[in-house]
Every structure is written in C-alpha cells, then in structure tokens.
Amino acid sequence: MAEEYTNVQEEECTHDCSSCGASCSERAPRANLEEPMAGTVVKKMIGVVSGKGGVGKSMVTSLLSVAASREGKKVGILDADITGPSIPKIFGREVMATAKDENTLNPVITKTGLSMMSVNNLLPNSEDPVLWRGPILAGAVKQFWTGVDWGELDYLFVDMPPGTGDVPLTVFQSLPLTGIIIVTTPQDLVSMIVAKAVRMAEQMAVPILGIVENMSYMECPDCGKKLYPFGEGRAEELAKKYSISRVAHLPILPELASRSDAGDIENVPVDVTNAVKDLL
C-alpha cells in the first residue's frame, strides 16, 4: 500500500518542491536555495520552529535576538509567520517599512538597533487579516529574504509559523538555514509535536541546534521554590532521544508577558536572555 501511494505521488508530481512535502526519490533537500540581494551577508540563519501554535515561538525568537544583540552581534529577525505576525508588536515597532528602491525594502530598525521585517511592517493597519493562499504566503517569505537589504548580520532569526505546511517548507527549502531551534512546552502532548519537527528537519537536512522548553516552571514569590503548573517537562528526555545536545528552560514570568505587550522586549532582564544564550 505504501509503495502504491508513493508511486501515485511521483506520477502526479508537479516538480515544484517548494509546495510539496513528499519525501520522494526526486527530492534534493535544500537544492533550490534563494540568493539574497547583493550586499547581504548573513553568518548564521537560525529558524525558530514549533509543531503547534501557542507555545511562545515568537517570544523565544525575540529573546534569542536580544541575547545575541547584547553580546555585541548584528542581528536581524525575519518574521515568516505571515498570517500571525507578532514580532513588530513585541518590539514596539509597528511602523511601515520604507523602500530603498523599486525592488528593495529597508528593514525596520528596533530601538536598540536590531533589523526586522514582517508583513505587519507593510500593512497600514496591523489588525488587518492576511487572506492569502499558500503559494502567495510562500512567495512573501522568499521576498523577505531576497528583496530586503539586510546588510551584514551575524545572526538572522526566522520566526516560522507552527506546523509543517507551505511556509515552513518554503523556509526549509529556500532559505540557507544554519539550523533550527525547537520550542515546546511541558505537556505530554509535545513529544509527538517535537517528533514531527525533528523529522521534518531530518528530511530537509537541517541541523537541530537545541530545544527550548517554554513555560517550564514558575517560582514561588514567597519562598523561591520552583512550581510546575503544567507538570515537569520532558525536554531533556526528548533531547536525548533525538541526540539534541542543548536544552534551555524558560519560566513563566508575568514581567515577560507585560513587556511583550508593551513592545519593550529589549529591556527584559538579563537573566531571562541568559536562559537562552547558550543555544547560540
């Protein structure tokens, strides 16, 4: 049955790997990487992924970016979550991007000098929905890489939408990722979700740099004891199972949520960014 299914897939193949998730014999992982515009040099491009929404992927992307910036690195953020963009809100930069010329956009610069590009930097109203189908979404992500003057960066973090659909597939196949970081939460369900992200990375020949367990615990304000409202996580167990060497734990912090809502993530306490710094 499996052989029959594979043959049908290959017979119906459109030969457009950017819109296909099949692991067929014709696929050459990452064979169609897009070239950036002249002058763009990125030393490391790191994708931040999750198998499901609501785990804090954009938060982790933001903290990784701030952590790298505090180390003196030149940092950019490509918001590939086209239908659910939140990076401009988190950084307090819901402003319109400017054009360098008729084919090129300038990235939006944050308060501390990070570069960013998001669909919400192109919409006159950040609350307008993006009602685009898969191929157009994928094309927008490619444009954020090839049509933005990123300049020279030490890190470009790619905030990817959840799951394994068109846009994550486009990022894996079209952008020169150095590796990915998987974001998860402590619930038992995440083991299956992490497995999907791991296997997608393996099929696309992209290294996994680490796992971040978000909302891992909270500290009692009176005694400082760690409490686990979602149960103790399995991040180390999953990391061992999939031979992932680095794990980070982020606690539940009301201040972190309030700073994100206020667009003030760049002033988050240093001990919070230190929690993810070792993943870089």
Side-chain angles (χ1 to χ4, degrees):
M1 184 69 178
E3 182 180 356
E4 177 184 350
Y5 177 66
T6 302
N7 290 338
V8 169
Q9 281 192 319
E10 292 182 352
E11 287 174 6
E12 297 177 354
C13 181
T14 63
H15 304 288
D16 179 9
C17 293
S18 66
S19 61
C20 175
S23 182
C24 68
S25 59
E26 299 299 319
R27 179 183 296 284
R30 313 187 74 194
N32 301 310
L33 296 180
E34 298 284 340
E35 292 292 330
M37 63 174 299
T40 290
V41 178
V42 175
K43 294 180 182 178
K44 292 183 179 181
M45 181 186 289
I46 297 176
V48 183
V49 310
S50 64
K52 65 185 294 295
V55 300
K57 173 182 47 59
S58 297
M59 174 67 69
V60 171
T61 302
S62 303
L63 291 176
L64 287 165
S65 302
V66 173
S69 179
R70 287 176 174 175
E71 293 290 302
K73 305 300 184 182
K74 295 180 180 179
V75 179
I77 308 173
L78 190 162
D79 190 354
D81 195 350
I82 304 298
T83 60
S86 54
I87 293 297
K89 171 69 174 177
I90 293 174
F91 281 86
R93 294 294 287 155
E94 293 180 286
V95 299
M96 294 290 286
T98 60
K100 180 177 182 179
D101 55 46
E102 62 181 11
N103 297 314
T104 310
L105 290 169
N106 293 310
V108 171
I109 307 302
T110 73
K111 301 163 191 173
T112 62
L114 285 72
S115 301
M116 69 160 62
M117 181 54 63
S118 170
V119 73
N120 267 9
N121 295 126
L122 302 176
L123 298 174
N125 182 357
S126 63
E127 295 182 356
D128 288 343
V130 178
L131 305 176
W132 300 344
R133 295 191 182 275
I136 300 176
L137 296 173
V141 170
K142 291 181 183 179
Q143 285 294 313
F144 284 175
W145 170 234
T146 63
V148 174
D149 184 9
W150 291 106
E152 296 186 8
L153 297 175
D154 295 301
Y155 289 95
L156 180 61
F157 293 96
V158 182
D159 184 19
M160 293 166 62
T164 56
D166 282 346
V167 174
L169 187 60
T170 295
V171 173
F172 273 103
Q173 292 184 327
S174 302
L175 274 59
L177 292 174
T178 305
I180 64 166
I181 291 173
I182 299 173
V183 182
T184 184
T185 53
Q187 293 94 330
D188 284 342
L189 174 65
V190 301
S191 59
M192 177 188 68
I193 302 301
V194 169
K196 290 180 181 292
V198 168
R199 288 169 184 166
M200 183 175 189
E202 289 174 346
Q203 289 187 30
M204 297 294 105
V206 176
I208 301 170
L209 305 178
I211 295 177
V212 177
E213 185 177 83
N214 191 28
M215 298 179 277
S216 182
Y217 62 91
M218 61 186 298
E219 290 189 0
C220 173
D222 296 322
C223 66
K225 180 180 179 181
K226 287 185 178 180
L227 306 173
Y228 300 91
F230 300 115
E232 293 196 42
R234 301 173 55 199
E236 278 79 9
E237 177 185 334
L238 292 171
K240 182 178 180 180
K241 179 178 180 179
Y242 297 113
S243 301
I244 300 169
S245 60
R246 290 179 287 181
V247 178
H249 297 268
L250 278 174
I252 298 171
L253 288 174
E255 181 184 359
L256 190 53
S258 62
R259 286 192 181 275
S260 298
D261 291 341
D264 193 35
I265 195 68
E266 288 161 291
N267 287 318
V268 74
V270 172
D271 60 337
V272 179
T273 54
N274 282 346
V276 298
K277 184 177 68 174
D278 290 341
L279 295 176
L280 299 174

